[in-house]
Amino acid sequence: MMFKATLAALLLIASPALADELRGTGDLGLIVEREAGSLLVVDRSERAALGRIEGLGDLSHASLVYSPDERFAYVFGRDGGLTKVDILTRQMVRRVVQAGNSIGGAISDDGRLVAVANYEPGGVKVFDAETLELVADVPMGSKTVGIADAPGSRFVVATWDTGEVWILDHSTDAAQPAVTKLEGIGANPYDALLTGDGRHYIVGLFGEKGLVQVDLWQDPPKVTRFLPDYGKDLPDLPVYKMPHLQGWTLAEGLFALPAVGLHQLLWVDAADLTEIARTDLAGQPVFALARPDKREVWVNFAPPDNDKLQVVDVLTHEVLDTLTPGKGVLHMEFAPRGREVWLSVRDEDRVEIRDTRTREVLGEIEARAPSGIFFTDRAHRTGL
Amino acid sequence: MMFKATLAALLLIASPALADELRGTGDLGLIVEREAGSLLVVDRSERAALGRIEGLGDLSHASLVYSPDERFAYVFGRDGGLTKVDILTRQMVRRVVQAGNSIGGAISDDGRLVAVANYEPGGVKVFDAETLELVADVPMGSKTVGIADAPGSRFVVATWDTGEVWILDHSTDAAQPAVTKLEGIGANPYDALLTGDGRHYIVGLFGEKGLVQVDLWQDPPKVTRFLPDYGKDLPDLPVYKMPHLQGWTLAEGLFALPAVGLHQLLWVDAADLTEIARTDLAGQPVFALARPDKREVWVNFAPPDNDKLQVVDVLTHEVLDTLTPGKGVLHMEFAPRGREVWLSVRDEDRVEIRDTRTREVLGEIEARAPSGIFFTDRAHRTGL
């Protein structure tokens, strides 16, 4: 009896570390199951699901970032929940409901801090990545959007109500960031992106036309307005969705970006911020993502064309292929070196895996109304 | 007694997977200990060594690549040895001596194949990444140099004796690559590099002046000669070492490259391949590496200036800082998002870790005459 009890205890202790759990984490990923409030843990190499982490609350528009060791993910839920999960043990580690309504987050380049941009009550809260204890609370008198990690333990964020960009520098003191505030950016920033080198922060405006670029390499940061007609109302074609700026891409010195309310992709010279070409598309673009080798841009669409994908040539700006993976293609995630792409086909409860060159279907994984797909290599990239 | 025996058995089974072994692999790395024929396994987050893997043979000029899961490394030794090591268990998994003398290797973007470029007997051998069984033997009638992984399960390599570039395409059949051969590249290619997007393969020539760029996006690939004076003999200043082309970097549309035999860094416009600026340096540059945010280029030097590092501004091309870490600074490796840099200080048997912004020393690790430092995020990058 004593033997049995001891054996059971030993097995319990050993169970989180069974031999099949000893594995690298460079080829893992998480898929957001929005309706179910769960995350599917996937293995890229096996093209298979490993398990599920449940109970994450409201995951509409959820996003996540990874710890530098690619073991933990920080999940930002729309309900203000910040959840840390362990993808190796597939368990929730910690969860705090840190606000009433939040819109996204970022992890500092040293992996020590996680910041969340909040709608309600607004501002940014910064947490210790290990413990999720509150480190800094930075009210900004506004809802905040487009938070990103800039190099040097900094976070950059835009304020919806006041039209500002704030740079929080945590490099000398985690609890008391040095704040740089840029005023007069424009009316109602609704989203923003930081380029992969951490140099350019680009802000989309809801309250007026045009876009704003902040060059973080200059001191003080240099603010430039560009594309003065971007977002112009077109009454004959309703805008189903303002495109997320994370749907932009930078390839070969060009930005490829979805045109608001148009069936077009815009090509903008990154050096002088002028439009140089347009590509006609099969619908209203949502994400325009460069394949990691930058040779092609892959585009998905708003309803009613969200069953399609188009592949556009970066050199010629011509559409190379039109694919029809299925109903509700919400998100695309490329393998880090671009060999394959994973597609969320929400309305068919599955993720489809395609070869990025032959376009052939390589595999399929069942998932509950999948939306965002996040591979662990994101841990090593800036501006996500 | 039976209880004790069972307990011992259970502990044995559990030992390869002790709790402290269950960990992510995104923040690990390997440091080559050239004289000792060993690898030091390091943890970036802890700034500490975890252990050592021994018995790898001749590791002069050794390099390595990682499996997509960031668990296994493939080490290319000068003695023709190809060794697969497990960085989690810190054990050698397999080792084959596949040639008499080899110069480097690469892993395909799907992680299935490992290719080795050989001096003796020449050509390229391709191995199954799982088993290290020979998959393809491609004799080329020449020593081979500068092998790199190109997107689409391809390898690119240059031939020293015959002045060619070969592209091996394994996308349809691993055992029988489709071969594209480019002849008349130039006399005696001695090294080559592939840009991070996999587009441009740049070949250095020993037998004549100038450099060659192969644009792999064009069909057929387009060959361009440039910098016609690069490598020109300068009798008043002996060349201690032909700079490795892996010491080049691409930042903000510019190549920064070490000038052969000169105390200068050359800046070349990547679009038209013309020289646009030079920066005077403290010695003969060996590696000129961009910090991951591309804001600065860090340079180390050949003897007698190999105790120094210089940091150069990418916008102004001016030297910002001159550091003196110690004797024999052989290699620099940046954390993936650039927060810190690790430096091999060979002649002082240590690795020094510095903050890339304040330049302060953050830590130090003992190592036996360390040379190359390789972090696991390389698994996700092209052209390494």
Side-chain angles (χ1 to χ4, degrees):
Chain A
M1 199 58 192
M2 176 191 159
F3 169 66
K4 270 192 180 170
T6 311
L7 177 58
L10 279 167
L11 288 175
L12 265 179
I13 292 163
S15 74
L18 289 172
D20 65 338
E21 300 279 0
L22 186 68
R23 52 159 304 145
T25 50
D27 59 347
L28 298 182
L30 290 167
I31 297 175
V32 173
E33 298 179 314
R34 173 178 172 156
E35 310 297 331
S38 54
L39 298 169
L40 196 64
V41 182
V42 293
D43 179 329
R44 270 201 299 116
S45 303
E46 300 296 328
R47 296 185 188 125
L50 297 176
R52 197 167 255 130
I53 305 171
E54 318 232 18
L56 279 92
D58 182 357
L59 291 186
S60 18
H61 291 98
S63 64
L64 59 86
V65 296
Y66 287 101
S67 60
D69 64 357
E70 297 182 326
R71 175 174 180 173
F72 300 100
Y74 303 90
V75 187
F76 309 104
R78 192 56 182 262
D79 57 2
L82 167 61
T83 312
K84 180 177 180 177
V85 301
D86 181 337
I87 57 174
L88 275 178
T89 62
R90 301 193 282 278
Q91 286 168 345
M92 202 182 293
V93 177
R94 281 184 185 84
R95 176 171 165 82
V96 294
V97 177
Q98 56 84 41
N101 189 332
S102 69
I103 192 67
I107 184 165
S108 60
D109 62 355
D110 55 14
R112 290 182 310 138
L113 300 171
V114 173
V116 190
N118 289 319
Y119 265 21
E120 185 52 48
V124 167
K125 285 188 180 170
V126 182
F127 298 86
D128 181 288
E130 180 64 31
T131 62
L132 294 197
E133 277 167 24
L134 185 69
V135 168
D137 185 354
V138 188
M140 298 177 181
S142 171
K143 294 183 177 65
T144 51
V145 299
I147 193 163
D149 59 295
S153 305
R154 293 178 299 165
F155 296 109
V156 190
V157 73
T159 64
W160 163 269
D161 301 289
T162 49
E164 297 163 351
V165 167
W166 290 52
I167 302 161
L168 310 182
D169 184 334
H170 290 269
S171 62
T172 53
D173 181 349
Q176 293 296 332
V179 174
T180 302
K181 199 192 326 183
L182 306 173
E183 299 179 344
I185 292 294
N188 301 124
Y190 75 93
D191 196 10
L193 74 83
L194 184 67
T195 53
D197 57 6
R199 175 172 184 176
H200 292 117
Y201 188 66
I202 292 171
V203 182
L205 301 174
F206 191 80
E208 58 187 297
K209 307 308 169 205
L211 293 153
V212 177
Q213 174 175 280
V214 180
D215 183 348
L216 298 171
W217 281 16
Q218 311 300 331
D219 185 19
K222 187 182 166 198
V223 178
T224 308
R225 294 289 287 262
F226 68 107
L227 289 193
D229 290 332
Y230 188 74
K232 195 170 179 173
D233 289 326
L234 294 150
D236 54 336
L237 201 60
V239 178
Y240 290 100
K241 186 175 163 62
M242 286 294 278
H244 284 295
L245 270 72
Q246 284 78 3
W248 282 40
T249 206
L250 181 61
E252 290 296 299
L254 298 179
F255 286 113
L257 66 152
V260 179
L262 296 177
H263 293 190
Q264 287 183 327
L265 189 67
L266 306 186
W267 298 87
V268 173
D269 187 309
D272 64 12
L273 298 173
T274 57
E275 185 187 323
I276 59 157
R278 293 190 179 211
T279 301
D280 288 323
L281 298 173
Q284 282 188 20
V286 176
F287 284 102
L289 301 181
R291 200 171 66 180
D293 68 351
K294 316 290 190 193
R295 183 70 184 85
E296 298 172 349
V297 169
W298 288 52
V299 186
N300 71 342
F301 300 99
D305 301 299
N306 63 351
D307 59 331
K308 295 186 191 67
L309 280 183
Q310 287 192 305
V311 182
V312 187
D313 188 305
V314 165
L315 290 184
T316 64
H317 311 144
E318 283 170 15
V319 173
L320 296 172
D321 269 309
T322 301
L323 312 176
T324 311
K327 289 183 183 163
V329 179
L330 289 203
H331 197 234
M332 305 172 275
E333 179 90 334
F334 290 94
R337 289 201 277 161
R339 198 68 186 83
E340 60 192 40
V341 63
W342 290 40
L343 311 166
S344 282
V345 190
R346 183 194 54 194
D347 303 349
E348 299 180 9
D349 290 317
R350 61 187 178 84
V351 168
E352 187 173 286
I353 304 162
R354 290 201 185 220
D355 185 296
T356 52
R357 282 170 177 76
T358 64
R359 329 290 195 209
E360 280 167 19
V361 176
L362 299 173
E364 195 176 276
I365 295 173
E366 277 182 51
R368 302 169 183 160
S371 55
I373 306 174
F374 302 87
F375 291 144
T376 51
D377 69 290
R378 287 169 171 260
H380 302 322
R381 288 157 58 197
T382 293
L384 296 178
Chain B
M1 199 57 193
M2 176 192 159
F3 168 68
K4 272 193 178 166
T6 312
L7 177 58
L10 280 166
L11 289 175
L12 264 179
I13 291 163
S15 76
L18 289 172
D20 65 338
E21 299 280 0
L22 186 69
R23 54 161 301 147
T25 50
D27 59 348
L28 298 181
L30 289 168
I31 298 175
V32 173
E33 298 180 314
R34 174 177 170 158
E35 310 298 330
S38 54
L39 298 169
L40 196 64
V41 182
V42 293
D43 178 329
R44 270 201 300 116
S45 303
E46 301 295 328
R47 296 184 188 128
L50 297 176
R52 198 167 253 128
I53 306 171
E54 318 232 20
L56 280 91
D58 182 357
L59 291 186
S60 24
H61 291 97
S63 64
L64 59 87
V65 297
Y66 286 101
S67 61
D69 64 357
E70 298 181 325
R71 175 173 181 174
F72 300 100
Y74 302 90
V75 186
F76 309 104
R78 193 56 182 262
D79 58 1
L82 167 61
T83 312
K84 180 177 180 177
V85 301
D86 180 338
I87 58 174
L88 276 177
T89 62
R90 302 194 282 277
Q91 287 169 342
M92 203 183 292
V93 178
R94 281 185 186 83
R95 176 169 165 83
V96 294
V97 176
Q98 55 84 42
N101 189 331
S102 69
I103 193 67
I107 184 166
S108 60
D109 62 355
D110 55 15
R112 290 182 310 139
L113 300 170
V114 172
V116 189
N118 290 318
Y119 264 22
E120 183 54 45
V124 167
K125 284 187 181 171
V126 181
F127 298 86
D128 181 288
E130 180 64 30
T131 62
L132 294 197
E133 277 168 23
L134 185 69
V135 168
D137 186 354
V138 188
M140 297 177 181
S142 170
K143 294 183 178 63
T144 52
V145 299
I147 192 162
D149 58 295
S153 306
R154 292 178 300 166
F155 297 109
V156 190
V157 74
T159 64
W160 163 270
D161 301 289
T162 49
E164 298 164 349
V165 167
W166 290 51
I167 302 161
L168 311 182
D169 184 335
H170 289 270
S171 63
T172 52
D173 181 349
Q176 293 295 332
V179 174
T180 302
K181 198 191 329 183
L182 307 173
E183 298 177 345
I185 292 294
N188 301 124
Y190 74 93
D191 195 11
L193 74 83
L194 185 67
T195 53
D197 58 5
R199 177 172 181 175
H200 292 117
Y201 187 67
I202 293 172
V203 183
L205 301 174
F206 190 81
E208 58 187 295
K209 307 308 167 203
L211 292 154
V212 177
Q213 174 175 280
V214 180
D215 183 349
L216 297 172
W217 281 16
Q218 310 300 330
D219 187 18
K222 187 182 166 198
V223 178
T224 308
R225 293 290 286 263
F226 68 107
L227 288 195
D229 289 332
Y230 188 75
K232 196 170 178 173
D233 290 328
L234 293 151
D236 54 334
L237 202 61
V239 178
Y240 289 98
K241 186 175 161 62
M242 286 295 278
H244 283 297
L245 271 72
Q246 283 78 3
W248 283 40
T249 207
L250 180 61
E252 291 295 299
L254 298 179
F255 286 113
L257 67 152
V260 179
L262 296 177
H263 292 192
Q264 287 183 326
L265 189 67
L266 306 187
W267 299 88
V268 174
D269 187 309
D272 65 11
L273 297 174
T274 57
E275 184 187 324
I276 59 156
R278 292 191 179 210
T279 302
D280 287 324
L281 298 173
Q284 283 189 20
V286 176
F287 284 103
L289 300 181
R291 202 171 62 181
D293 68 351
K294 315 290 190 192
R295 183 70 184 85
E296 298 171 348
V297 169
W298 289 53
V299 185
N300 71 343
F301 300 98
D305 302 298
N306 63 351
D307 58 332
K308 297 186 189 66
L309 280 182
Q310 286 192 307
V311 183
V312 187
D313 188 304
V314 166
L315 291 184
T316 64
H317 310 144
E318 282 170 16
V319 173
L320 296 172
D321 268 309
T322 301
L323 312 175
T324 312
K327 289 184 184 161
V329 180
L330 288 203
H331 197 234
M332 304 171 275
E333 179 89 335
F334 291 94
R337 290 200 278 161
R339 197 70 185 83
E340 59 192 40
V341 64
W342 290 40
L343 310 167
S344 282
V345 190
R346 183 195 53 194
D347 302 349
E348 299 180 8
D349 290 317
R350 61 187 178 84
V351 168
E352 187 173 284
I353 304 163
R354 290 200 183 220
D355 185 295
T356 51
R357 283 170 177 76
T358 64
R359 329 288 194 208
E360 280 167 20
V361 176
L362 300 173
E364 194 176 276
I365 296 173
E366 275 182 53
R368 302 170 184 159
S371 54
I373 306 175
F374 301 87
F375 291 145
T376 51
D377 69 289
R378 288 169 170 259
H380 302 322
R381 289 158 58 199
T382 293
L384 296 177

